[in-house]
Amino acid sequence: MTHLVRTAVVITGFSGLVAEIVLLRELLIVFSGNELCIGLILANWLILEAAGCLLAAGRRRDISGPPVGWFTVITILFSIFLVTAIVFTRILKNLLDMSIGESMGLMPMFLSAFLILLPVSMLHGALFTISCRIYGACTSNDPAAAGKVYVYETVGTLVGGLAATFVLLPRLDSFQAACWIGVLNMAACLGLAIAFRKHGFFWKTWSTAAGLVLVLFLGLIGSGRIELLHRETVRAQWKNQQVVAYQNSPYGNISATENQGHYIFFLDGVPAIMTPVPDIQAVESFVHLPLLAHPEPEQVLVLSRGAGGVINEILKHPSVTTIAYAEIDPLLPEMLKRFATPLTDLELNAPNLTISHQDGRLLLNTTRNRYDVIFVGVPEPASLQANRFFTREFFAQAGKRLNQGGILVLGLPGSLTHINRELTDLNSCIYHTLATVFPHIRVFPGEGRHLFLASDATDIMVMDTDRVINELARRQMVDQPAVPRHIEQHLHPGWQNWFSRLLETGTQSVNFDFRPLGMFYSIAYWNSLYGTGSGWFFSMVESLDLRVALPACLVVLLLYGLLRFAGNRPRQAGILLSVGTSGFTGMIVSLTVIFGFQALHGYLFSWIGILIASFMAGSAWGATVTAGRQAPGKGDWNTFLRIEQGIILFCAALPLLFFAARAVSDSPVVFAAVRMVFPGIAGICGFLTGAQFPLANRICLPGSRDPGRTAALLYSSDLLGGWIGGVAGAVVLLPVLGLTRTCIILVMLKLVSFTILAAGPGRRPKEVFNEK
């Protein structure tokens, strides 16, 4: 019987993580691929699991025997609500009356994720408490029952992360994956209902209900109805446009819509390429101004989104002999060929074009070629994946691959009429970041988009209307040299002076890989447009620094001193604070691993499951080591303190690991090998934080009147800390303070909890947990 309970708990952990990854990927598409939402999603998942765990702990058993009936009912609801959550995710923008491709503000993003995850996460959290009671009933209320259930569930999450990454999501759509999870869950419920048939009067009801839902899921899969649901929700997601392609790749989601022969290709829900008629004015300005500024451009590199107009305009320059086009996702050129137009046929079949399906930064690190002009096709640093092409590290890489007099070209959102603080800071931040690498920077302001040119030569600084006309004539590109109105506007000297004065009012901060301020300012700008009243929040966040963290830590220590002086349960506060800060630290480190991987490699979409599973594997290992110790005793307390010290040392060493990983990523082989550093870091963090939970239970559970409630209290403290870490880490710490300063704050926080734990014996924790 016990082995069936273990299996059911493992399946619970498996289905929970697969559900989390499925919903995370779906929400990433709706939230325009912005990785900040990962922290918000994980944080909401944790706090809702904690709420479900506590609610289940507060419900007393009215009858004797294990609560298998409640386990079955909640598992059925969890499986059904998972499918429902996918539906609501896909129609979310319709419900909010948002346009296709419109970015969502930070607060709507947070609230939407919270409401969509609410039923799924709370039900899954309740299963932990109920599993503890079932397992405790099978093992004569073993004090280590909660710790063992934690281990079994964590093993399930490990398997779920690997299965989701390598088996389920590459082969199945989200609805199919959810239905197979439902099948697995119902099989587990049937097994438990039959095994515990002697412990309740309603086991036939439980088994019948699980059997009917099992038949329902199998029927949806076998009849093809689930594929129909997938197609209909995709059509609703794109507001009934004709969706001709909807496909996930290791790098994100690519969708294509068609209307009378005109195609729009979306990357994670954001319009990226239009064919056969692109935005002519934007493309012409982006391509011709820098190419005409260079005396004789021959070697040209385009990093992302070159097809759909950019390559076509480059081909008009007779001096260009080679065009290298780097597109990390091979699915995008494949779709462009599948839905070909005269424009894309001309571009992708050009004889002097070379397409490389690799990361643009890796190409710059590994190629021996040098270029006259490098175009950055990424529109703005609105995500970590995009921010990688606007950092000081990238600009230094690009500068090394430019010939003498070469030009780096990029664009940012801009306006000649509506200027606010957020837009000014975004442009100023990238400008000052360029200035740390290039001696000469020329900005061509425009309505909707500012064009940035950076070079080691002064040619870009003397670019004016006369030179454009002379270069057009010299290169024989037109019969009657003339400057189009939209390009002439860029060249007007009045706008140059205006932009220079604008920069004086903006930030002078520099954008780095591990301190993505460019992404922060970009998100702040879009929130100023779509998130009414959020400007004060981003201004407050921007002003935070380490000088705020130190007084906060001192206040916590002062409060503890007052509690200890008053004799008001300081030891209970110490245990809960330690577990909570470990949850906070674990979430922050997990986000650091996720953000760091995306900053260096750029294809988090396919590795998110591996990184989460690695953390869970470490948690399972750590929990297994401590849960398998001998009978509770003083050694548990000493081990708990040593783990606190280990977390402090780990957080202190973390920045060194990341900077070392970046420093050696200079070849394809090393670049690929360095990827495994990130799962390793996640695993170590998981081991340290996972090892604490069984120890906390072993210290606090002996003699407890309700082991399930005590375990739920500790578990909820862990999840609450994780929730705070997810929100604070995603929105404040990592984008604004960066990796190093964030780790310093983690060290300070864990030093506080360690000091509280080590400051005197106080009363035994089990005594205070038994008090009402």
Side-chain angles (χ1 to χ4, degrees), residues 571-572 575 632 637 696-705 710 763-771:
R571 198 64 173 270
Q572 181 187 21
I575 290 286
W637 185 256
N697 277 278
R698 288 164 64 89
I699 293 169
C700 301
L701 284 181
S704 173
R705 295 190 183 96
T710 302
R763 289 182 291 169
R764 292 292 298 167
K766 64 182 180 182
E767 298 171 5
V768 296
F769 274 94
N770 285 332
E771 294 181 5

Side-chain angles (χ1 to χ4, degrees), residues 568-590:
N568 189 18
R569 293 193 255 180
R571 198 64 173 270
Q572 181 187 21
I575 290 286
L576 292 176
L577 177 65
S578 177
V579 172
T581 54
S582 292
F584 179 91
T585 301
M587 174 58 78
I588 293 290
V589 173
S590 296

Side-chain angles (χ1 to χ4, degrees), residues 375-539:
F375 290 95
V376 179
V378 180
E380 61 177 299
S383 65
L384 281 171
Q385 188 178 39
N387 187 74
R388 309 167 62 244
F389 295 95
F390 295 87
T391 63
R392 187 188 187 284
E393 293 84 355
F394 167 74
F395 294 152
Q397 285 179 305
K400 293 177 182 177
R401 300 264 60 88
L402 283 170
N403 289 317
Q404 182 68 32
I407 302 172
L408 176 67
V409 187
L410 56 92
L412 287 174
S415 177
L416 303 178
T417 55
H418 178 71
I419 303 296
N420 59 15
R421 162 77 184 279
E422 292 80 8
L423 184 59
T424 301
D425 283 340
L426 171 60
N427 282 270
S428 183
C429 175
I430 303 305
Y431 180 92
H432 286 96
T433 304
L434 281 167
T436 62
V437 177
F438 294 95
H440 304 289
I441 304 167
R442 177 74 179 274
V443 181
F444 297 98
E447 187 58 50
R449 191 165 180 80
H450 295 330
L451 183 63
F452 287 68
L453 275 61
S455 178
D456 60 357
T458 60
D459 293 328
I460 60 174
M461 307 304 295
V462 296
M463 188 70 172
D464 56 19
T465 304
D466 291 337
R467 180 168 178 180
V468 170
I469 293 175
N470 293 334
E471 286 297 321
L472 288 172
R474 184 177 70 84
R475 301 181 191 187
Q476 299 180 349
M477 294 178 60
V478 292
D479 295 331
Q480 296 293 329
V483 180
R485 179 73 180 89
H486 57 276
I487 292 183
E488 184 179 7
Q489 185 182 40
H490 282 296
L491 298 168
H492 195 285
W495 289 120
Q496 306 293 320
N497 298 330
W498 167 81
F499 190 81
S500 298
R501 293 194 300 270
L502 186 68
L503 289 178
E504 295 175 1
T505 65
T507 181
Q508 296 188 9
S509 301
V510 175
N511 189 31
F512 294 97
D513 281 344
F514 295 145
R515 193 188 179 197
L517 284 172
M519 181 184 69
F520 173 80
Y521 290 125
S522 178
I523 293 170
Y525 168 62
W526 286 108
N527 269 272
S528 71
L529 299 181
Y530 301 114
T532 306
S534 60
W536 66 270
F537 172 77
F538 285 94
S539 297

Side-chain angles (χ1 to χ4, degrees), residues 6-7 9-19 21 150-170 181 184 609-621:
R6 293 194 193 104
T7 303
V9 174
V10 170
I11 291 174
T12 299
F14 177 92
S15 59
L17 190 66
V18 173
I21 294 174
Y150 182 84
V151 171
Y152 300 141
E153 187 180 56
T154 306
V155 169
T157 60
L158 167 62
V159 178
L162 296 175
T165 301
F166 297 109
V167 180
L168 296 177
L169 297 181
I181 289 300
L184 191 61
I610 296 175
L611 296 177
I612 294 176
S614 299
F615 179 85
M616 293 302 178
S619 296
W621 179 27

